[in-house]
Amino acid sequence: MKHANTKLILASNSPRRREILTRFGYEFDIVKSYYKEDYFETFSYENIKKNSLGKALEAAQRISYNAVIIGADTMVILDSVCLLNKPRNFNEAVFMLKRLSGKTHAVVTSISLVQSNSLKNTTQYTKTFVTFRELSQEEIVNYINTKNPLDKAGSYGIQDFLDENTYKNPPDKSFISEIKGDYYNVVGFSPYVFKSMLAHFQKALL
């Protein structure tokens, strides 16, 4: 299914977000955002919005034609407020996965839409709960060495373990034992939330 009319710009180099938009039938261009993300130690909706909206606004101000720019940011939250950002090295990745082992954490993704001509904008959040089974040191080290998840918040990519067909009944070897909420929100962002947001945003701009 192709979605027409609105010119869409993805202000991200994330291959996962590109794949989601493409899979769900959107045509879009990519304009890399040079917004410098803030890294926080604790979670708040104001903080995650600052990053997603900042990315979209920075790209929007360099676009000379009318378009809707998409900015997104994902945060992994453990114990309500503690943030697990992208690991800076192997040891941090091991530390993060050890902390996630046997626990439930939340993945929150903020999506911001900005109209380039007016800079009018809107932001919405989606939260998914992910439970890890108990992990051994050997499993953690092998995963990091083979998948190299240093570019991912929380030091893991859900698509390394599950897809849209298996997430409701994870296999025994998966690090993840249960997901409550939107699977795609953990991958990159929810196409269902995006579709609703875009429809309401377009209507508000008329």
Side-chain angles (χ1 to χ4, degrees), residues 86-144:
K86 296 175 183 177
R88 291 171 291 187
N89 52 51
F90 177 89
N91 288 336
E92 279 196 2
V94 172
F95 176 75
M96 286 184 187
L97 290 173
K98 282 185 174 180
R99 293 194 67 183
L100 293 174
S101 175
K103 295 182 180 179
T104 298
H105 61 275
V107 178
V108 177
T109 299
S110 173
I111 303 175
S112 295
L113 304 180
V114 175
Q115 184 191 39
S116 58
N117 283 357
S118 66
L119 299 187
K120 290 180 179 178
N121 59 80
T122 186
T123 298
Q124 193 166 328
Y125 317 96
T126 310
K127 181 184 285 187
T128 302
F129 292 96
V130 180
T131 301
F132 270 36
R133 63 173 173 81
E134 294 285 349
L135 306 177
S136 69
Q137 176 83 5
E138 182 181 2
E139 286 179 310
I140 289 171
V141 170
N142 183 62
Y143 172 68
I144 296 168

Side-chain angles (χ1 to χ4, degrees), residues 185-197:
N185 179 57
V186 188
V187 177
F189 67 68
S190 170
Y192 313 111
V193 172
F194 172 72
K195 180 180 179 181
S196 175
M197 281 184 72

Side-chain angles (χ1 to χ4, degrees), residues 15-181:
R16 294 165 291 279
R17 291 176 181 139
R18 292 200 303 266
E19 288 166 8
I20 289 170
L21 286 173
T22 300
R23 177 164 186 171
F24 283 82
Y26 293 96
E27 294 182 353
F28 60 97
D29 292 333
I30 295 173
V31 175
K32 181 181 178 181
S33 177
Y34 294 100
Y35 175 77
K36 184 175 175 58
E37 288 185 51
D38 284 317
Y39 285 84
F40 306 97
E41 293 184 358
T42 58
F43 172 78
S44 74
Y45 288 104
E46 291 77 15
N47 288 346
I48 194 171
K49 177 181 178 179
K50 184 177 181 182
N51 279 342
S52 66
L53 184 57
K55 293 174 187 177
L57 283 170
E58 194 284 328
Q61 294 175 46
R62 291 185 285 111
I63 294 172
S64 59
Y65 50 88
N66 189 33
V68 172
I69 293 81
I70 309 160
D73 192 54
T74 297
M75 292 185 175
V76 174
I77 306 114
L78 185 64
D79 301 327
S80 299
V81 295
C82 178
L83 274 181
L84 298 181
N85 293 306
K86 296 175 183 177
R88 291 171 291 187
N89 52 51
F90 177 89
N91 288 336
E92 279 196 2
V94 172
F95 176 75
M96 286 184 187
L97 290 173
K98 282 185 174 180
R99 293 194 67 183
L100 293 174
S101 175
K103 295 182 180 179
T104 298
H105 61 275
V107 178
V108 177
T109 299
S110 173
I111 303 175
S112 295
L113 304 180
V114 175
Q115 184 191 39
S116 58
N117 283 357
S118 66
L119 299 187
K120 290 180 179 178
N121 59 80
T122 186
T123 298
Q124 193 166 328
Y125 317 96
T126 310
K127 181 184 285 187
T128 302
F129 292 96
V130 180
T131 301
F132 270 36
R133 63 173 173 81
E134 294 285 349
L135 306 177
S136 69
Q137 176 83 5
E138 182 181 2
E139 286 179 310
I140 289 171
V141 170
N142 183 62
Y143 172 68
I144 296 168
N145 284 334
T146 56
K147 297 297 185 181
N148 192 29
L150 300 186
D151 64 334
K152 300 177 179 69
S155 193
Y156 77 94
I158 194 170
Q159 64 275 15
D160 293 334
F161 307 106
L162 304 170
D163 59 29
E164 65 274 19
N165 298 313
T166 60
Y167 79 91
K168 292 183 179 179
N169 188 26
D172 292 340
K173 290 185 178 180
S174 169
F175 281 15
I176 297 159
S177 60
E178 185 178 32
I179 294 177
K180 291 183 178 179

